[in-house]
Amino acid sequence: MKATGVIRRLDDLGRIVIPKEIRKLMRIREGEPMEIFVNAEGDIILKKYSPIGDLSEFAMQYAEAISQNIGKVVCITDRDQIIAVAGGNRKELLKQPIGRELELAMEQRSIIEGKQQNLFNGYLEAGEFKQEIVVPILSAGDVIGVVAVLGKDEKDWNGEVEKKLASTAASFLGKQMEI
């Protein structure tokens, strides 16, 4: 753990305000769910809760199934990091925090497709992915992550197939979160 030097008092309802600087640094937005942990030493640890993170094992299997069938890299993210990767580059991409560009793409709540959007190239050698389709995962009206299909070869890219598979995966994962 890293000390911040910030001290706050508990109010009469047991609340503590997380300073704006820390919220900004940790990308914690108003209304965002937080998970509370207590360790053996009695420390209280707050962690951003990722609802789709609970499905990370399932998301990995889903990504692998899609990737095996179309031969492309498939990534599934929550609002903060990449939680599942299949089809290559797993070590470089898995658990990486999402970039600002991908965060902005999520806020658009629409399918983004095309040549070199560079939403995932920030983690790898420049321009490794030539094509990207990014579909937001919606649950109860909120964007909780994305499903992305990434292509390295422009010649081996249909676009419609990848878009339909990513849309189906995003819809299915979103519905799983509502159950």
Side-chain angles (χ1 to χ4, degrees), residues 27 29 77-81 98 103 106-107 143-145:
R27 294 165 42 182
R29 293 171 285 282
T77 76
D78 62 12
R79 299 251 340 157
D80 297 306
Q81 67 180 348
I98 65 166
E103 193 174 324
M106 280 187 209
E107 291 173 11
V143 177
I144 61 170

Side-chain angles (χ1 to χ4, degrees), residues 39-174:
N39 66 16
E41 291 82 38
D43 298 325
I44 298 171
I45 301 165
L46 294 176
K47 183 178 176 189
K48 289 187 347 182
Y49 175 68
S50 168
I52 199 165
D54 291 343
L55 293 178
S56 62
E57 186 65 36
F58 180 73
M60 185 67 79
Q61 292 170 357
Y62 205 117
E64 286 174 4
I66 294 171
S67 179
Q68 286 173 358
N69 282 295
I70 63 172
K72 307 281 189 297
V73 175
V74 177
C75 295
I76 300 174
T77 76
D78 62 12
R79 299 251 340 157
D80 297 306
Q81 67 180 348
I82 300 170
I83 64 163
V85 180
N89 306 332
R90 183 176 174 156
K91 289 181 183 176
E92 291 91 352
L93 290 169
L94 192 61
K95 303 270 187 211
Q96 288 292 325
I98 65 166
R100 181 73 182 136
E101 297 83 11
L102 189 53
E103 193 174 324
L104 292 171
M106 280 187 209
E107 291 173 11
Q108 291 179 10
R109 294 174 171 255
S110 59
I111 296 172
I112 297 172
E113 59 182 309
K115 294 182 179 181
Q116 285 196 311
Q117 299 293 315
N118 289 318
L119 299 175
F120 287 86
N121 280 330
Y123 311 108
L124 306 165
E125 297 172 19
E128 183 168 343
F129 296 122
K130 306 294 185 209
Q131 302 279 348
E132 299 175 344
I133 291 181
V134 177
V135 180
I137 301 170
L138 299 172
S139 179
D142 294 326
V143 177
I144 61 170
V146 300
V147 174
V149 178
L150 311 170
K152 296 180 181 183
D153 187 0
E154 293 178 43
K155 294 176 232 156
D156 184 28
W157 187 264
N158 174 314
E160 282 306 307
V161 171
E162 291 84 356
K163 185 175 167 181
K164 286 181 181 179
L165 283 169
S167 295
T168 301
S171 176
F172 183 78
L173 290 168

Side-chain angles (χ1 to χ4, degrees), residues 3-60:
T4 64
V6 177
I7 297 172
R8 295 282 197 236
R9 292 195 184 278
L10 222 58
D11 72 8
D12 58 339
L13 294 177
R15 298 176 296 199
I16 298 174
V17 174
I18 301 171
K20 183 177 183 178
E21 298 80 22
I22 293 175
R23 292 193 316 261
K24 188 174 181 180
L25 177 70
M26 302 304 295
R27 294 165 42 182
I28 299 171
R29 293 171 285 282
E30 182 180 325
E32 188 153 17
M34 302 293 290
E35 212 168 354
I36 302 169
F37 296 91
V38 179
N39 66 16
E41 291 82 38
D43 298 325
I44 298 171
I45 301 165
L46 294 176
K47 183 178 176 189
K48 289 187 347 182
Y49 175 68
S50 168
I52 199 165
D54 291 343
L55 293 178
S56 62
E57 186 65 36
F58 180 73
M60 185 67 79

